[in-house]
Amino acid sequence: YTEAIQSYRDYLVYQPYLPAIYNNLGRSLVPAGDSAGAETAYRRGLELFPDEPTLSNNLAILFKEKGDVTSALEIYEGGKNAEGFHNLGLIRAQEGALEAAEAAYKQALVRDPGMVEVYYSLGGLYLLMDQFEHSAETFETFLKNSPDNPTLERRTKSRLLQLYPVL
């Protein structure tokens, strides 16, 4: 990662107006063990590009991985992109705030109806909420629009087989 980090830093000297450079620098610094540097790169990028969803999402992920869920939630709640709302839903579901998780997942789908992973998460949430019909319908929607993810497809089919006797 050392060469990549140096390349991104050099590039920022000459072309500091590309959000991808700040993002790539941050993503290179994390596995190199410099989470503080990654945070700085994401924040600097967000100063210049406050509406850049990738930077805000990666900053939130960094906070969550460091155990600072409060800061991650603040970023997700202030976000405008589907991925951020999906991640917000995941955190809310882990906290047991199921209605808040459902609202976040629905916001993710409003912003990007093609983000099919949200249907998988929402189907699982409906299971937790004992809304079995909603769960089955949502899992079926996921399978109809399934991404190329055989593991999620297999898990979804397994869940549907468990649901059908209940319905």
Side-chain angles (χ1 to χ4, degrees):
Y1 294 101
T2 306
E3 286 181 32
I5 292 167
Q6 190 56 52
S7 294
Y8 293 130
R9 286 183 171 146
D10 290 344
Y11 200 84
L12 285 174
V13 171
Y14 302 105
Q15 184 53 276
Y17 304 107
L18 293 173
I21 303 302
Y22 294 95
N23 183 64
N24 293 348
L25 176 59
R27 289 184 50 97
S28 296
L29 288 166
V30 171
D34 188 359
S35 61
E39 180 179 342
T40 300
Y42 295 140
R43 287 188 182 280
R44 178 67 180 127
L46 285 167
E47 287 173 13
L48 298 170
F49 311 99
D51 295 327
E52 177 56 43
T54 305
L55 287 166
S56 61
N57 190 56
N58 285 338
L59 180 59
I61 289 169
L62 179 67
F63 283 137
K64 186 174 182 251
E65 289 174 351
K66 289 174 25 178
D68 187 355
V69 176
T70 302
S71 294
L73 285 172
E74 287 174 6
I75 292 169
Y76 289 142
E77 288 170 342
K80 299 173 185 152
N81 66 347
E83 189 174 353
F85 276 101
H86 183 220
N87 289 334
L88 175 62
L90 292 170
I91 291 174
R92 291 296 187 210
Q94 288 173 346
E95 294 177 335
L98 303 183
E99 290 79 16
E102 179 184 22
Y105 290 147
K106 287 182 176 183
Q107 281 299 315
L109 290 171
V110 165
R111 283 161 173 72
D112 184 358
M115 192 174 178
V116 295
E117 295 86 358
V118 178
Y119 290 107
Y120 180 81
S121 299
L122 191 55
L125 180 72
Y126 286 142
L127 273 178
L128 293 173
M129 298 171 80
D130 293 332
Q131 296 181 16
F132 302 120
E133 286 186 33
H134 275 93
S135 181
E137 291 169 3
T138 306
F139 280 136
E140 287 171 355
T141 300
F142 171 78
L143 286 174
K144 286 179 198 168
N145 302 295
S146 181
D148 193 18
N149 189 330
T151 302
L152 287 183
E153 190 171 328
R154 187 174 48 256
R155 288 180 184 167
T156 302
K157 288 178 181 176
S158 175
R159 287 184 173 181
L160 282 171
L161 288 173
Q162 293 170 340
L163 277 172
Y164 286 139
V166 176
L167 300 177

